[in-house]
Each structure stands twice: as structure tokens, then as C-alpha cells.
Amino acid sequence: MKRRYILLLSAVVLVTAGWSAAWIYGRSVLADQLDLQMTRMAEAGLVVSCTDLAIGGFPFRYEVSCPDMRSRDRNGMAASLGGLNAVALVYNPRHVIFEVKSPAALTSPMTGVSGDVTWETARASLKFRQNALGEFNAVVQKPEAEFENAISAGVFSAEKAEVHMREAPDLPGALDGFVSIDALKLESLPDLQDTVDLRGGIRIAGGTALLAGTDLATLVRMNGEDLPVRLDRLEASVGQSSVASSGEMLVHGDGTLSGTLALTLGNATALLQSLKPMFPPKDQTFALLEGIIGSLEPAQGADGVATITLPVKIDRGVASVGFLPLGRIPALFPAGI
């Protein structure tokens, strides 16, 4: 009997020692992976720093804590987070769950934009493949944001925001992205009572480099100054009205967009009326749009909603329908960076 106890105790000690050794090895792999990702991002122009980075969680998990995270890219854009915690299970250290603490701050000297963001909860899932980030999913509950530049300011809130990115399963190197925002409210425009639901999906050729920390301007240069982007669908819903677009585009080396989109308006008259508070009182743009929509013959959609479809051409950021200019889309990044 005594011998059995000794054998059992020996087995427990061996298993404990082996598990501890495996946990310590996994911890070193995770630490190396974090260092590798930060190095790659720094080489791509994004420097990320973390105060008092610690890895714990023994014996069944790996827990990474960062009380104060800051980042800065080559263009001077800086961001900070109130704190970050990450957890990975011992048997699957390549799948990391993140929880980000409020608030966050952003400053962009080149554009003059600065802002603060708060939220109720913010969680993200990262899956690494062969020493690279292969999939990213994030959900933020009740975000609120306040942004301003030299001439204007805006305050926004929403019930939920989601971002999903992964390598396209049918096209290696391409990035599939999806974003959604539920019940978006423009708090700085109190006359605009209706909330907006946004949905968008895109595919970027060679876009997996963005998952490794490469900025968009560098990716465009890597693709010969013209980066193909497919807009699968971008839709905004306001009550029973909606506006949606899809098509093929190019991002040029100066940050501007070119391409042709199909723009579909559902219940266009009601949509325009709900957006009326966004137009200045003496601006004639609203009357012009009202006249254009009134002159078009809507088609009856499959769901019974009257729809209008228009071809929109974008040439170096200038959008138009036929000979009618719609305005200029701001460059996605400053030229020459």
C-alpha cells in the first residue's frame, strides 16, 4: 500500500513538473510572438508600446496585461488605450481573446483631427497563423465618440459596433472585411432624430498585409500606386428607408478613389426628408436633390419597397451621376506620405 502511495505521488509530481515546463515554454512562445508582432508593426511604421507588460495565468491560461498602451505611426498619428487584457488557453496559444478598457484617445497632426472614445465593453478575438495574424473579430458595446478638427466637431453614439477581418478563403493574400454599427446617433445634430444602421463589406487585394500592421499608403505603393478594392455592399438604413452601394474601385497613390458604383435608394423621398436637418437652412443642395429624386421613376423591389438605382462614377475622389456632381470624397490618406 505504501508503495502505491509513493508511485501515485511520483506520478503527480511528474505530471505537475511536465505541465509547469509546458506552461513556461508556451509562455516563452507567446512572449516571442508578441515581440515579433510589435517588431513587424514597427518595421511597417507603427510603433506600439506597453507599460508594465506582464504574462501570468498559470496553470491553465496565459493572461497578458497592459495597464497603458500607446501607439504612433510614421505620420505622427498617436493613439492610447485605458488598458488591455488578453487571455489564451494553454492548449491553443494562437487564439487570443482581448478586452480593452475605456477610454481611448486619437490624435492625427497631418489631418488636424483629434478625438476621444468611450464604451461599455470592448472585446476582440485574434487568431494567428504561421507567425502572422490570420483573423480579427471585435465587438464594442455602447460606444461613444467625440471628434473635432479646426473647423468642426461631432459627437456620435451607438448601441453596438462590430469589425471582422480575415484572409479571403478563395483568394490567398486578399483581405475580407466587414463592419456594422447598430443605432448610430449623431448627438451633435439633435434635430436628426432617426438612428442609422450601417453594414459594409469589402475585399482588398493583397490586404492581409494590413493585418501585420502595414498602413494603407504603404500597401498602395506595394501594389503599383493603384490598389483594387471591391465594395461588396455598403448600406445605411434609416427607418424604412435605405441607401446602398456596391462596385469595383481603385485606391490611388495620392489617397483618392476611382471607380463605378451602383447606388440604390429605398424609399428615397422619405430618406431625404429624414436627412433634411443635416443641410444648412439656405443651402440649395437639398432642393436640388429633392427635384432630382422627384423626377425619377422608382421600381418596385422584391420586398415591396420603391427603389431607385443610379450609376455613380468616382474620378480621383470626385463623385458624379452623369453630368451632375455629387461632391468630393476626402482622400483616405495624405498624398506623399
Side-chain angles (χ1 to χ4, degrees):
M1 182 69 79
K2 185 177 180 180
R3 184 180 179 183
R4 290 183 179 179
Y5 281 124
I6 293 174
L7 290 175
L8 178 60
L9 181 60
S10 299
V12 171
V13 170
L14 287 174
V15 170
T16 302
W19 186 269
S20 299
W23 186 91
I24 293 172
Y25 172 74
R27 181 187 184 281
S28 67
V29 172
L30 178 58
D32 290 343
Q33 184 63 239
L34 290 172
D35 289 340
L36 176 62
Q37 294 300 319
M38 288 186 177
T39 299
R40 286 181 172 177
M41 289 189 290
E43 292 172 349
L46 178 63
V47 178
V48 179
S49 62
C50 182
T51 303
D52 298 329
L53 178 67
I55 301 178
F58 181 82
F60 301 114
R61 303 190 301 179
Y62 298 109
E63 299 178 359
V64 181
S65 62
C66 175
D68 183 21
M69 174 170 282
R70 300 180 183 274
S71 67
R72 182 178 295 273
D73 67 11
R74 59 165 55 96
N75 306 312
M77 180 180 291
S80 64
L81 293 175
L84 182 145
N85 294 318
V87 176
L89 297 176
V90 170
Y91 62 85
N92 189 14
R94 294 184 180 276
H95 183 192
V96 185
I97 305 298
F98 285 87
E99 182 172 5
V100 183
K101 296 181 180 179
S102 178
L106 174 69
T107 303
S108 177
M110 295 193 69
T111 60
V113 175
S114 62
D116 296 287
V117 185
T118 60
W119 54 85
E120 189 174 274
T121 61
R123 297 184 175 92
S125 167
L126 278 70
K127 295 181 180 179
F128 295 94
R129 301 173 184 172
Q130 299 178 348
N131 296 327
L133 181 59
E135 185 175 332
F136 172 83
N137 302 283
V139 179
V140 182
Q141 298 286 351
K142 297 188 180 300
E144 294 185 7
E146 182 175 354
F147 289 94
E148 64 179 4
N149 57 22
I151 59 175
S152 63
V155 181
F156 313 88
S157 66
E159 283 298 310
K160 183 174 70 171
E162 295 186 38
V163 178
H164 305 277
M165 294 187 291
R166 66 170 184 173
E167 182 176 11
D170 57 336
L171 185 61
L175 177 68
D176 282 342
F178 173 81
V179 62
S180 68
I181 302 177
D182 296 338
L184 175 65
K185 176 71 174 178
L186 304 181
E187 304 286 355
S188 50
L189 292 176
D191 292 336
L192 190 61
Q193 298 296 322
D194 295 316
T195 60
V196 182
D197 292 331
L198 297 176
R199 301 286 184 275
I202 64 171
R203 171 168 289 188
I204 304 175
T208 52
L210 296 172
L211 292 176
T214 301
D215 59 77
L216 183 59
T218 300
L219 182 60
V220 173
R221 288 198 301 269
M222 290 167 55
N223 284 267
E225 303 294 323
D226 287 316
L227 178 66
V229 175
R230 188 181 77 197
L231 183 63
D232 290 327
R233 187 171 180 83
L234 177 62
E235 181 176 10
S237 301
V238 183
Q240 298 300 314
S241 305
S242 66
V243 54
S245 62
S246 60
E248 303 287 341
M249 295 185 295
L250 289 174
V251 182
H252 302 298
D254 59 357
T256 59
L257 291 170
S258 292
T260 301
L261 302 177
L263 183 68
T264 302
L265 306 176
N267 282 335
T269 301
L271 174 64
L272 189 60
Q273 290 299 323
S274 65
L275 299 179
K276 188 174 181 179
M278 298 182 64
F279 294 88
K282 297 183 179 180
D283 188 23
Q284 297 300 313
T285 304
F286 179 83
L288 178 62
L289 292 175
E290 194 173 33
I292 293 172
I293 290 176
S295 66
L296 298 174
E297 186 70 27
Q300 199 71 13
D303 54 0
V305 177
T307 62
I308 297 172
T309 300
L310 302 171
V312 177
K313 182 179 180 181
I314 305 173
D315 184 12
R316 295 283 176 174
V318 178
S320 60
V321 176
F323 294 104
L324 177 66
L326 297 179
R328 177 177 291 275
I329 301 174
L332 300 181
F333 52 83
I337 62 175

